[in-house]
Amino acid sequence: MSVIYWEEEIETLPRVGLESIQLRRLQHLVARVYRTVEPYRKKMDEAGIKPDDIKTLADLTKLPFTAKNDLRDNYPFGLFTVPLNEVVRVHASSGTTGKPTVVGYTKKDIKTWSGVMARALCCAGATSDDMVHNAYGYGLFTGGLGAHYGIEHLGATVIPVSGGNSKRQITIMKDFGSTVLLSTPSYALNLADAMDSMGVDPASLSLRVGIFGAEPWSENMREEVERKLNLKATDIYGLSEVMGPGVAQECLQADRGMHIFEDHFLPEVIDPDTGEVLPPGEQGELVFTTLTKEAFPIIRYRTRDITSLIYEPCACGRTLVRMEKVTGRTDDMLIIRGVNVFPSQVEHVLVGVEGVEPHYQIIVEREGNLDTMQVQVEVSEGLFSDEIRVLENMTKKIQREIKDLLGVTCKVKLVEPKTIQRSEGKAQRVIDNRVL
Ligand code: DLL
């Protein structure tokens, strides 16, 4: 299979060349941010660091971190570096508590974003010949519009279908001949269900590749999605604070990891407790510094996403570092009676069990001083109408496998097909009823 690059020269640049571009851009960025954004200047002054102190890439660690709170404290536009009349678009992420975080883009930022997104599409094997079904939500969420502009920039045809109305989506896929699907992995499964209920065989469609992201998903989930939709499922990563979709993307050649578009987004992995930078390969919290953004650049942003960096060469020829699949977030880690549990680990177990559907929710309660975890999961139609004994065995099997993998005892409740709430965007995997 031949590799398609969007910007071959930069994507395959030897690291020395790449690092010299990164350093130049970093120095320029730090100077500009120091000059134009009061809250950044204040933090740097407090840390006793001036833009001129950034002499090598290693000096990045001298700069203070930026966290979600900094965005909230400066809501809505306090961290923008340009006047609002240069901002052509804003996006916002809702978050479950407090104020939303607001991000902005200049004309040039939109161009940069379309460029990295086109790169991501190419990385997944899409070309200008493709019919791209974009089922990420359009609106304040960066997924829909971010991907949309990248698809157009690539020269492919975009179907701006957004999320929801799954049956209509299947009809469109069939009639328009969609070849590439973009959606959250959980919504991809809803589309598979809709296909099934309409009696549409995925092999009769033209779908070839899926570009799924915006939420964590396990390897078992990948197999499930590939089987049910008859396509190759790839992972795309991004976050609004850094840009939106198109920060990193899996290629078709690597056996693991997403290439980070490091000429624009400079990654570090840190120990979330100490803030120390970890060596390549070690798992920790991902931190990003944007190198080219104008309206809303960000310095050492703590993403809370847990991953590690892979610097080994990739079979696709790209020299850009890869990040491992995100296993979870520092803030969605549940601590159940002292054991750290990520929803994605529970998913890994569930999706590997025959007869269980990939729709689940984890309910956490506090009984007395003890945290309890209940896993609710749908079982297939056939199994649900089976004898009680079969269901009991299944419950025990899941309980045992979770205990073996995670070391935590949980309750398992098998529920009827289609009873767990479906999402059109990001799935809500955890319901935390603890009053802490
Ligand atoms: O989710 C941007 C995006 C849209 C990425 C479409 C990919 C595709 P936010 O709403 O700001 O932006 O949420 C960002 O989502 O910090 C991760 O926790 C999570 N996330 C995004 N992509 C992945 C992924 C978009 N591939 C937050 N795997 C991030 C795991 C992901 N988690």
Side-chain angles (χ1 to χ4, degrees), residues 404-436:
D404 286 350
L405 184 78
L406 300 170
V408 66
T409 308
C410 67
K411 296 178 196 157
V412 172
K413 186 175 175 194
L414 304 180
V415 298
E416 265 184 78
K418 309 213 167 30
T419 45
I420 290 184
Q421 202 192 352
R422 300 291 191 263
S423 81
E424 290 172 5
K426 301 184 194 231
Q428 191 188 359
R429 299 298 192 194
V430 178
I431 298 181
D432 196 337
N433 291 328
R434 288 172 298 184
V435 185
L436 298 176

Side-chain angles (χ1 to χ4, degrees), residues 61-111:
T61 59
K62 296 179 179 161
L63 293 164
F65 291 114
T66 307
K68 193 102 176 166
N69 273 349
D70 295 301
L71 273 74
R72 296 223 173 94
D73 293 347
N74 295 288
Y75 172 85
F77 308 132
L79 295 181
F80 287 14
T81 64
V82 297
L84 279 178
N85 62 5
E86 288 178 35
V87 173
V88 297
R89 194 188 311 160
V90 290
H91 279 287
S93 64
S94 48
T96 42
T97 51
K99 294 175 189 155
T101 48
V102 183
V103 296
Y105 307 79
T106 61
K107 262 192 189 160
K108 184 164 167 235
D109 290 334
I110 297 287
K111 218 169 141 196

Side-chain angles (χ1 to χ4, degrees), residues 68 92-94 101 117 136 141-144 147 183-185 211-217 235-241 243-248 258 301 303-305 323 325-329 331-332 426:
K68 193 102 176 166
S93 64
S94 48
T101 48
M117 192 57 221
Y136 284 119
F141 174 54
T142 51
S183 74
T184 58
I211 302 182
F212 304 121
E215 62 186 7
W217 51 307
D235 198 354
I236 183 168
Y237 172 87
L239 64 166
S240 3
E241 295 87 336
M243 186 59 109
V247 172
M258 294 170 267
Y301 183 64
T303 64
R304 304 190 193 177
D305 292 322
M323 59 184 269
K325 223 167 167 25
V326 172
T327 48
R329 292 171 55 82
D331 52 2
D332 74 11
K426 301 184 194 231

Side-chain angles (χ1 to χ4, degrees), residues 3 8 41 73 86 111 113 134 184-185 201-202 234 298 326 344 359 394 402 411 416:
V3 180
E8 180 166 357
R41 184 164 54 244
D73 293 347
E86 288 178 35
K111 218 169 141 196
W113 191 6
N134 185 16
T184 58
D201 176 2
T234 70
I298 204 154
V326 172
S344 60
H359 301 289
M394 167 81 80
I402 291 181
K411 296 178 196 157
E416 265 184 78

